[in-house]
Amino acid sequence: MLLQRLLLLATLWVAAPVWAENTSSTIYSDVEQSVYQVRVINQQTGKKNAIGSAFVVMDANIIATNYHVVSTYINNPEGDFALDYLSTSGETGPLELLAVDVIHDLAVLKADKPLGKPLQIVPVPPKGARLYSLGNPMDKGFSIVEGTNNGVMKSSDDSNILFSGSLNPGMSGGPTLNDNKEVVGVNVATSGNGMSYLVPAEHLSTMLEHLQQADFKANDAVSQQITEQLRNHADKYAQRLQTMQWKIERTGSFMVPTDIEGTTRCWDNSEQPSPDDLMRSYFTQCGNESSIYLDEGLEVGTLSYEYIWFDADKLIPARFYRQYEIKNVSVSASEAGKQDVTNWNCFTDFTVVAEQEFKMTVCRRDYHHYAGLSDLLVTAALVGHPKQGMLFNLDMTGTTFASGMALLQRMLGDFKWQP
């Protein structure tokens, strides 16, 4: 009896890798004809400017990919670039852009003929489920990457799926499937070390439903569509943050809002104190962990804020204020250039926060191509204390000015002076 059990266990142990191998092989052969490479072609040179992956969905001539894969084409509407597909058999053809969801990094395209069998979209499977990511990594040909579903990220605004598999450049926009060859996510990014991110396919389903209602007609005002998506998202995001519970923690003699569960995290970045220090500073830095890709070098949707408390018992007030003024500097994290935004427009005044006087500077700059979208930069410095100070800096990119100011008011309302 014992020998039979050992033989059974040995059989199961040997069979498991074969089953996994057969699953990958079956997926590869059954789905290969529904996965394509998408290319952005410079019409002046005829060469590829950008590539990604895509897959047939809902209808035989409809394919889905990432927004960032086709962003060069979208952001250069003068006709310098074109879109086409490349099949695993080497067949090519033109593509038409139908619609985008810039918030979730998705785009839907249409071919001029049937491309293959549409893949079915289903909800995200339970955490720990085996997943299979397909695409064209490094322009080296069709490949499949196995990994594990580590669940929808709850500590990040974008709520992407954390995938323990190594996605590579060129796989963006490809499908990630379950064991039944159904789409659960769309490849979007990697952070290296075998960890990658997928857009839940439910967002793609929403896009496809709207397109189906419009008989899959192309949106002739894609730039306007993107602008509206950005503004709506910025307003909803700021409104949601205002209603959420912020952790309140001590910074020097203040109680201030810090972490927001599932949205922002805070870290201590204070310098190691020394007995010889004439002035000590305590630095708390907070921020969200998501951004919205718009173009090469241009991302929006970031939120960061920081508190720096200064204690200078060993300095005379005049020397302390000189050092304090030097530290009162804030720089936006945005890499937007003159081609993207206007110059900063700033306003400075004194205001009372938590019964303490602050010198506050509010700066704003607007986006040229996304009407109503702005960057907001705020610096507030505690005044009136001869040997103590606090700096509060807030940096928001790609928000609406009204929403940014409302969020600032919400945060300042949580300040409490507790010496």
Side-chain angles (χ1 to χ4, degrees):
M1 193 70 176
L2 178 61
L3 181 60
Q4 289 178 336
R5 289 180 179 176
L6 290 173
L7 287 171
L8 178 60
L9 287 172
T11 302
L12 291 173
W13 182 80
V14 171
V18 174
W19 174 85
E21 182 181 345
N22 287 340
T23 301
S24 297
S25 300
T26 302
I27 289 176
Y28 191 99
S29 59
D30 289 354
V31 178
E32 180 183 3
Q33 302 304 317
S34 298
V35 180
Y36 285 77
Q37 183 183 85
V38 169
R39 309 186 301 179
V40 179
I41 305 296
N42 187 325
Q43 301 212 83
Q44 298 299 317
T45 65
K47 300 298 183 182
K48 294 175 288 189
N49 177 274
I51 62 168
S53 299
F55 57 98
V56 183
V57 64
M58 187 169 271
D59 197 80
N61 64 340
I62 302 297
I63 62 174
T65 187
N66 288 143
Y67 162 83
H68 77 257
V69 170
V70 296
S71 60
T72 300
Y73 170 82
I74 294 171
N75 291 314
N76 294 273
E78 296 82 9
D80 294 334
F81 295 91
L83 299 174
D84 74 6
Y85 64 82
L86 173 67
S87 72
T88 55
S89 62
E91 184 179 357
T92 65
L95 290 170
E96 178 186 18
L97 177 69
L98 295 185
V100 300
D101 177 354
V102 70
I103 306 303
H104 298 106
D105 200 357
L106 294 171
V108 177
L109 314 171
K110 183 178 181 180
D112 58 359
K113 68 174 189 177
L115 295 183
K117 180 182 178 181
L119 301 180
Q120 300 301 307
I121 295 175
V122 296
V124 180
K127 192 173 181 178
R130 199 70 178 160
L131 299 178
Y132 308 87
S133 178
L134 288 75
N136 196 319
M138 310 296 289
D139 201 18
K140 301 296 184 183
F142 183 78
S143 298
I144 184 167
V145 173
E146 292 187 43
T148 305
N149 169 30
N150 284 294
V152 176
M153 297 171 62
K154 300 299 184 183
S155 61
S156 175
D157 290 321
D158 52 26
S159 298
N160 282 339
I161 302 167
L162 187 60
F163 173 64
S164 61
S166 295
L167 299 183
N168 292 291
M171 295 188 72
S172 292
T176 295
L177 312 178
N178 60 16
D179 285 329
N180 295 323
K181 304 159 195 168
E182 299 162 323
V183 181
V184 301
V186 182
N187 306 336
V188 69
T190 181
S191 61
N193 298 317
M195 301 306 296
S196 303
Y197 304 99
L198 316 171
V199 178
E202 63 188 80
H203 299 304
L204 178 59
S205 288
T206 302
M207 287 186 71
L208 293 169
E209 288 170 7
H210 292 157
L211 282 169
Q212 190 175 42
Q213 293 171 5
D215 198 25
F216 293 102
K217 292 181 180 178
N219 187 328
D220 295 329
V222 172
S223 294
Q224 182 179 340
Q225 180 188 34
I226 292 173
T227 298
E228 291 174 355
Q229 290 174 359
L230 292 170
R231 284 201 308 255
N232 290 338
H233 174 76
D235 287 339
K236 289 178 181 178
Y237 182 58
Q239 290 166 9
R240 182 167 66 88
L241 293 185
Q242 291 176 58
T243 62
M244 294 182 73
Q245 187 69 38
W246 298 53
K247 185 180 289 186
I248 306 298
E249 295 183 309
R250 178 174 290 276
T251 294
S253 294
F254 279 96
M255 300 298 291
V256 294
T258 54
D259 303 76
I260 314 172
E261 185 177 357
T263 298
T264 66
R265 296 193 211 185
C266 298
W267 303 89
D268 173 59
N269 285 332
S270 306
E271 294 181 1
Q272 188 70 27
S274 167
D276 298 328
D277 290 340
L278 297 178
M279 181 173 73
R280 293 188 177 183
S281 61
Y282 305 91
F283 184 15
T284 301
Q285 192 169 33
C286 310
N288 63 0
E289 297 182 357
S290 64
S291 60
I292 300 168
Y293 179 95
L294 294 180
D295 203 353
E296 185 68 31
L298 182 62
E299 297 183 3
V300 297
T302 59
L303 165 67
S304 62
Y305 48 99
E306 58 191 26
Y307 308 97
I308 312 174
W309 175 262
F310 299 94
D311 206 329
D313 287 339
K314 299 178 182 179
L315 288 177
I316 62 173
R319 188 175 177 189
F320 165 66
Y321 266 100
R322 283 197 297 271
Q323 295 294 319
Y324 190 34
E325 286 179 344
I326 293 172
K327 300 289 186 180
N328 188 10
V329 177
S330 183
V331 179
S332 174
S334 172
E335 296 182 5
K338 292 182 178 180
Q339 72 279 8
D340 304 309
V341 291
T342 63
N343 292 329
W344 288 105
N345 185 19
C346 300
F347 174 78
T348 300
D349 202 356
F350 290 89
T351 186
V352 175
V353 179
E355 302 178 346
Q356 302 299 310
E357 190 172 22
F358 280 80
K359 181 181 179 181
M360 184 173 296
T361 299
V362 176
C363 296
R364 164 188 179 173
R365 64 182 182 183
D366 301 324
Y367 283 78
H368 295 309
H369 306 297
Y370 307 100
L373 212 64
S374 306
D375 288 343
L376 179 66
L377 188 63
V378 179
T379 298
L382 177 68
V383 297
H385 295 262
K387 294 189 176 184
Q388 291 178 322
M390 189 182 80
L391 300 178
F392 164 64
N393 298 317
L394 172 67
D395 181 16
M396 297 183 70
T397 63
T399 186
T400 64
F401 185 71
S403 291
M405 292 302 292
L407 183 61
L408 172 63
Q409 252 185 331
R410 161 70 170 81
M411 294 183 70
L412 295 178
D414 280 345
F415 280 46
K416 297 292 183 293
W417 175 253
Q418 291 187 356

